Amino acid sequence: MVVPGFYESQLTVLAIYCIAALLLERYVDGQKKKNGASASQDPGSRPLNGGIIGDKSARAYSLLQKSYLLVYAVVMGADWLQGPYVYSLYRDQYGYSERIVGLLFVTGFCSAGLTAPLVGVWADQYGRKRLCLYFCISYALSCFCIQFPFLPILFVGRLIAGFSTSILFSCFDSWLVSASQQDGVSSANLSTIFGRATQINGFVAAAAGVISNELVSATTTFASPFVLSAVLLIVSYGLIRSMWSENYGNQEAATSAKTDIFQVARLKQAWSIVRRDPSLIVLGVTQTCFEGSMYLFVFLWVPSMQESSPPNVDLPLGYIFSAFMVSMMLGSLLYTCIISHSLPNSDPPLVLHAKLSSLVCLVASLALATSYSAATAQKRFWAFCIFEACVGMYYPVQGMLRGTMISNDHRATLSALFRVPLNIFVTGVMVTGVSTNRQLVFSGCTTILALSSVLTAVVIVRRTTEMAAVQTRPA
């Protein structure tokens, strides 16, 4: 039996831990920078004419950070508001079967995968700002479509939402990188903007869960968060139009890409590279296993929590969603703590990331195994929180491994290839009736995550150890 207010209290506890960890991390990092600056300061050195240039660069950095982070916070707020109640809207309010709900989710997923190559070409050719403006319009249109319990309109809405998601996770970052180059912002400052965007995203996600929960309670309809999301998207349109300048990509690459829109030739080239290096195959397997399990979790967490709770009890899904998002932030902070404050005699950074990757997959596997065997809703809730913490560690760990082990010339190509088995895996599971076999799906995810952990420990750790040995070998 779940105690009334249980999820709200657990969210409060997690939020306190997260804020305390964030403040502590910032304090320790500030002290390290202060000590480093004091040790390297040269009293006899004076800037010559760098002061004016530095001031100009600082102003450009400040303006770019303000214009990007403000838009990013509003846009991500609009996106996260839709997270907690999309399943409940389709299943509980509109009354569609879980198989139909699964097909709606698959439609959005496939739409995002199929339109991703097109979005990249259009952004390079017609401008990133223009595509971001189109995102605001199309995503707001998908929020409009979801208000109608008519299946064809709902499928159209999912198609539009998938297309919008492709723009969200490609064009916004591309605009920032290009704008920073145009304004002369350093790579260190650009990294700072990305880091602050990640922190803002976590806080916005947690707040969106609480707000959506209160909206549903006040309006007694699961569709109300989507209305607020559309309002925020309209606000985002105005902000982008007034604060951002236009920038473009490589026009020659965009022109050549039009002859191979779905990048078939590029995928063939990627496969010829991967099959010669087992470590790249394992990286692709890890991406398929972990991200596939994560996408399936997005669909399964609501019905899983409902079946473990007493009947006729309305779960505060917004608060539960916020707790998951705070758990993800804690995982990201734990990663930062491990990497930034590791002991001097510990493993080289690349080897440490490989071992963390194996550990994250193993813990995620155990978390899902605990969730489907848990007898109470509280245990299942905490198992899901642990899984979300693993998600928070996974992305920076895998980003580091891919960024180091894959050359810059082939990084985009291999990323496209790795998404092919991921799309096939998720679509196949969803289409074959995932909702009626939740325990089987969680069992399968547990197995493939454990397999990924073992493969990473055997192949990736050994490969990164060899790379680290070559880098430290005297010339």
Side-chain angles (χ1 to χ4, degrees):
M1 183 71 178
V2 180
V3 178
F6 170 78
Y7 298 110
E8 293 86 338
S9 64
Q10 301 311 299
L11 171 60
T12 302
V13 171
L14 285 169
I16 291 173
Y17 277 126
C18 186
I19 293 172
L22 182 60
L23 292 175
L24 179 62
E25 191 273 333
R26 289 178 69 89
Y27 172 77
V28 173
D29 187 56
Q31 289 297 112
K32 289 177 65 176
K33 290 181 179 178
K34 182 179 178 180
N35 295 336
S38 299
S40 61
Q41 187 175 10
D42 182 3
S45 64
R46 293 176 180 270
L48 296 176
N49 62 346
I52 298 176
I53 298 175
D55 290 343
K56 182 179 179 181
S57 176
R59 285 195 299 270
Y61 163 64
S62 178
L63 289 172
L64 179 62
Q65 178 175 240
K66 177 183 177 181
S67 62
Y68 179 75
L69 292 182
L70 179 59
V71 170
Y72 184 81
V74 179
V75 164
M76 294 311 299
D79 183 51
W80 287 120
L81 277 170
Q82 303 181 33
Y85 289 101
V86 60
Y87 175 91
S88 297
L89 179 63
Y90 290 144
R91 180 73 179 95
D92 300 329
Q93 185 165 323
Y94 292 166
Y96 291 111
S97 67
E98 292 197 16
R99 183 172 180 81
I100 294 297
V101 176
L103 290 175
L104 286 166
F105 273 78
V106 167
T107 300
F109 186 81
C110 292
S111 174
L114 292 174
T115 57
L118 296 171
V119 166
V121 173
W122 290 342
D124 287 341
Q125 187 171 10
Y126 300 114
R128 280 73 178 262
K129 175 183 175 180
R130 179 178 295 183
L131 263 292
C132 291
L133 290 172
Y134 289 165
F135 159 81
C136 297
I137 298 172
S138 61
Y139 214 18
L141 182 59
S142 72
C143 293
F144 176 76
C145 290
I146 207 171
Q147 303 296 318
F148 300 95
F150 182 53
L151 203 55
I153 295 179
L154 293 177
F155 273 109
V156 170
R158 293 302 297 174
L159 286 170
I160 298 172
F163 167 71
S164 304
T165 302
S166 294
I167 299 177
L168 175 61
F169 292 108
S170 60
C171 294
F172 282 81
D173 287 356
S174 298
W175 179 89
L176 175 60
V177 173
S178 183
S180 69
Q181 294 170 351
Q182 291 176 356
D183 296 342
V185 175
S186 68
S187 58
N189 285 335
L190 176 62
S191 178
T192 300
I193 296 176
F194 275 123
R196 289 176 179 171
T198 301
Q199 294 177 0
I200 289 173
N201 187 32
F203 284 113
V204 167
V210 174
I211 292 171
S212 64
N213 197 98
E214 296 304 315
L215 270 176
V216 169
S217 299
T219 61
T220 66
T221 172
F222 295 134
S224 55
F226 296 89
V227 176
L228 180 57
S229 177
V231 172
L232 291 182
L233 289 166
I234 295 172
V235 173
S236 302
Y237 182 94
L239 291 174
I240 294 172
R241 190 175 181 86
S242 61
M243 299 178 69
W244 285 16
S245 59
E246 187 60 275
N247 59 53
Y248 301 87
N250 187 326
Q251 295 298 304
E252 293 182 3
T255 301
S256 62
K258 287 191 294 185
T259 61
D260 185 17
I261 292 178
F262 292 102
Q263 309 296 294
V264 175
R266 191 177 70 166
L267 294 178
K268 289 181 179 178
Q269 178 193 14
W271 173 244
S272 67
I273 296 169
V274 167
R275 66 182 181 182
R276 295 194 297 265
D277 189 347
S279 62
L280 296 183
I281 295 178
V282 174
L283 281 179
V285 168
T286 300
Q287 178 174 337
T288 299
C289 294
F290 195 98
E291 296 184 23
S293 299
M294 182 186 68
Y295 287 128
L296 291 172
F297 174 81
V298 169
F299 175 73
L300 290 173
W301 75 266
V302 173
S304 296
M305 291 299 301
Q306 288 174 338
E307 72 177 7
S308 64
S309 301
N312 302 320
V313 172
D314 292 330
L315 290 174
L317 297 178
Y319 286 104
I320 297 173
F321 177 83
S322 294
F324 292 163
M325 296 301 100
V326 175
S327 299
M328 188 169 63
M329 288 180 63
L330 283 169
S332 179
L333 287 170
L334 178 60
Y335 161 80
T336 302
C337 179
I338 293 173
I339 298 302
S340 301
H341 310 297
S342 57
L343 298 175
N345 58 347
S346 61
D347 293 313
L350 190 59
V351 178
L352 180 59
H353 279 80
K355 291 182 177 180
L356 282 175
S357 176
S358 177
L359 180 62
V360 165
C361 290
L362 178 61
V363 174
S365 173
L366 294 174
L368 290 183
T370 303
S371 71
Y372 68 75
S373 61
T376 63
Q378 293 97 321
K379 290 182 179 179
R380 183 165 294 186
F381 167 77
W382 280 111
F384 285 165
C385 285
I386 294 173
F387 179 79
E388 286 289 348
C390 291
V391 173
M393 291 190 69
Y394 165 82
Y395 278 105
V397 167
Q398 289 302 115
M400 174 66 176
L401 289 175
R402 285 197 292 260
T404 305
M405 299 180 68
I406 303 175
S407 67
N408 186 57
D409 293 339
H410 301 133
R411 192 169 299 138
T413 304
L414 292 181
S415 295
L417 177 65
F418 290 163
R419 293 203 67 84
V420 172
L422 172 62
N423 291 339
I424 293 174
F425 170 65
V426 175
T427 303
V429 173
M430 296 285 280
V431 169
T432 54
V434 60
S435 58
T436 57
N437 299 290
R438 281 190 286 272
Q439 184 170 344
L440 179 62
V441 173
F442 277 134
S443 300
C445 290
T446 297
T447 302
I448 62 175
L449 284 170
L451 174 63
S452 177
S453 176
V454 173
L455 288 175
T456 300
V458 173
V459 178
I460 303 297
V461 173
R462 182 175 61 185
R463 175 62 176 154
T464 53
T465 302
E466 294 172 355
M467 294 173 65
V470 171
Q471 291 173 356
T472 56
R473 186 179 302 163

